Amino acid sequence: MWAVLGFCVAAAIGLTTVLSVGCRGSALRDDYPWLLDEVSKLHVNTVGSLAGFAFTGVVLVVTLARDRTGAAGVALDAAILMFLVAYLYWVGSAFLISYLPHVRTSGDFVQRVHFSLASTIEYRTVFLSWFALLPLLQANGLSRLVPILYFLLPISLLLGSLLLAMAADGLGLLRVKETYFSAAVGTVLTLAYGGIAWMLPGIRSPYSSLDLTIAIFCVNGAGFAFAALTPLSSRYDGVKRFYEQYGRRIIIADMQLTMVSLAFLWLAVVGAI
């Protein structure tokens, strides 16, 4: 549980930092470059396909898990849990994005917040399922492929962040530089914990990836809850005022939690923490 404790401390420090900086700015209410109603339909199809991928991964890992013990067993447990959580949130995010509030009843800003929260859930879930490939390969003795993933996965994480930053900027909620400031803060804090784990190897654990997967489940759950309540803004003025007033801060916090949680999970699956 040391990794989860480190994640909570890093998240608290990171949130304090980015919110103190981010509160100086404001959201832009310019037109965004997409028809969000149409894009949400495309997302439903995409995440539905990815849910099938995650479920197939669970079945595959369970099949391979027979007669596995020791370190291989722990790695397979991590892969199963990561695929399972990914499957749950692929299904959940499909429902979530399909309930995008209508701009005429809830206002365009509430719609922006809903879409942004759903997008970051998808981003976290993509890399949760992709990171699961690493313990899967390790458990099955495919050591020659592991160094390739050491290169491919971080690069994919960086490239994926371009889409996330572009979406947040296009919606007027965060500037690209704010997204990468959040990423830089998260990376520094994660590496600081990694340095502590290197100096104090007793706090490293083979179960860190399991624990951090549960942490990401909770982060996704919080984002899901905030996004799921946005359609109520069409009936309750208080809900609409809440998102109008605090929507940008929610997105800033969600982005920071995304950066920290994925950085911690990466260190966990490579065995650094």
Side-chain angles (χ1 to χ4, degrees), residues 12-173:
I13 297 173
L15 287 173
T16 301
T17 302
V18 298
L19 285 172
S20 63
V21 174
C23 287
R24 301 172 188 172
S26 61
L28 297 179
R29 306 297 289 266
D30 297 338
D31 292 338
Y32 36 76
W34 310 285
L35 295 173
L36 292 188
D37 294 333
E38 296 299 322
V39 174
S40 65
K41 296 177 184 178
L42 298 176
H43 276 243
V44 171
N45 295 330
T46 301
V47 299
S49 301
L50 290 170
F53 161 75
F55 184 77
T56 302
V58 171
V59 173
L60 175 63
V61 175
V62 170
T63 302
L64 295 173
R66 298 174 183 174
D67 302 322
R68 295 287 181 174
T69 59
V74 174
L76 281 174
D77 286 346
I80 290 172
L81 182 62
M82 292 166 76
F83 277 128
L84 180 59
V85 171
Y87 171 72
L88 294 175
Y89 275 107
W90 284 135
V91 174
S93 61
F95 281 104
L96 185 66
I97 197 68
S98 68
Y99 283 103
L100 183 75
H102 199 284
V103 65
R104 287 187 300 181
T105 56
S106 298
D108 72 298
F109 190 76
V110 175
Q111 189 184 61
R112 296 172 197 238
V113 172
H114 181 103
F115 190 86
S116 182
L117 289 171
S119 296
T120 51
I121 290 174
E122 291 177 24
Y123 178 74
R124 287 190 295 265
T125 306
V126 163
F127 285 99
L128 179 63
S129 59
W130 287 5
F131 286 176
L133 297 175
L134 191 53
L136 180 61
L137 293 179
Q138 292 169 334
N140 288 279
L142 300 174
S143 57
R144 287 180 296 180
L145 297 178
V146 170
I148 298 176
L149 289 187
Y150 283 171
F151 171 76
L152 293 180
L153 290 178
I155 295 299
S156 298
L157 188 67
L158 179 61
L159 293 176
S161 70
L162 293 174
L163 288 176
L164 196 64
M166 174 271 296
D169 194 294
L171 293 170
L173 298 170

Side-chain angles (χ1 to χ4, degrees), residues 190-243:
T190 303
L191 292 177
Y193 179 80
I196 294 173
W198 180 76
M199 292 185 291
L200 302 172
I203 69 175
R204 291 202 295 267
S205 170
Y207 300 101
S208 293
S209 55
L210 289 167
D211 297 335
L212 287 167
T213 298
I214 298 300
I216 289 179
F217 177 89
C218 295
V219 171
N220 273 2
F224 187 95
F226 276 110
L229 294 175
T230 57
L232 295 178
S233 60
S234 63
R235 289 185 176 272
Y236 303 100
D237 290 337
V239 174
K240 185 174 182 178
R241 286 196 300 270
F242 172 81
Y243 284 103

